[in-house]
Amino acid sequence: KYYEAPACAARVSKVVARHDEENRPGPPRWVRENVLQGVEPSIEAYTAMTVYFVQGGLGLASLARTFYFKDTLGLAPAEVAALQGITALPWVIKPVYGFISDGLPLFGYRRKSYLMLAGAIGFLSWMSLATVVHSVPEAVFFSTTASLGVALSHVVID
């Protein structure tokens, strides 16, 4: 039995190492391996994940907006398509947001302040669409500003 001691010690060492890995501070091991995939957890990583999560969720909101244009405001499908083209314009001029955020810091920050501004624009625009918008021009304006908020946050987070 004396000759088995090193093998036993190696197994115990692996068990202890796995236990330490599973119980280390921060997110659980499954999240670190499958969600973060090697990215060290930090506020910047969580911010980027939140921006992309919101961007993905806005696909559903865009679908709801299409039905709002069609059913509530009574627009024809061709009119809805034309108006959605207008609301997509903020995505066309994304390089401008990069130049502005790089060259003109707000409150001493080049990224954080613009990300907060983009969030506020998007939040206020979507809240307005949900509560106070009752005409086509208002809907187009607030849809375009909501698109601006998402496009700005996308530029700033990259």
Side-chain angles (χ1 to χ4, degrees):
K1 304 280 181 193
Y2 173 74
Y3 56 87
E4 292 180 6
C8 183
R11 282 191 299 245
V12 169
S13 175
K14 286 180 184 177
V15 169
V16 169
R18 189 174 67 224
H19 182 267
D20 289 345
E21 173 68 20
E22 290 173 355
N23 293 323
R24 82 173 200 198
R29 187 177 67 130
W30 182 89
V31 172
R32 287 192 305 270
E33 291 175 358
N34 297 309
V35 177
L36 297 175
Q37 297 182 356
V39 175
E40 195 60 36
S42 66
I43 191 69
E44 291 84 10
Y46 290 128
T47 303
M49 288 189 304
T50 302
V51 167
Y52 290 122
F53 179 79
V54 168
Q55 249 181 340
L58 286 177
L60 292 175
S62 178
L63 181 64
R65 184 179 58 201
T66 301
F67 281 105
Y68 176 74
F69 280 158
K70 186 176 78 62
D71 296 340
T72 304
L73 297 179
L75 298 175
E79 293 171 319
V80 172
L83 293 178
Q84 285 179 336
I86 293 170
T87 63
L89 287 176
W91 287 90
V92 174
I93 57 173
K94 278 176 43 177
V96 173
Y97 313 143
F99 292 134
I100 291 172
S101 68
D102 287 344
L104 182 67
L106 290 179
F107 307 110
Y109 295 101
R110 295 184 188 279
R111 301 278 183 246
K112 290 180 185 176
S113 55
Y114 282 98
L115 192 57
M116 293 177 71
L117 177 66
I121 289 170
F123 173 77
L124 293 173
S125 298
W126 282 107
M127 285 303 294
S128 298
L129 279 167
T131 57
V132 298
V133 171
H134 300 293
S135 69
V136 173
E138 291 173 340
V140 171
F141 174 76
F142 285 112
S143 293
T144 305
T145 55
S147 182
L148 170 70
V150 177
L152 179 60
S153 68
H154 187 260
V155 167
V156 169
I157 207 67
D158 283 342

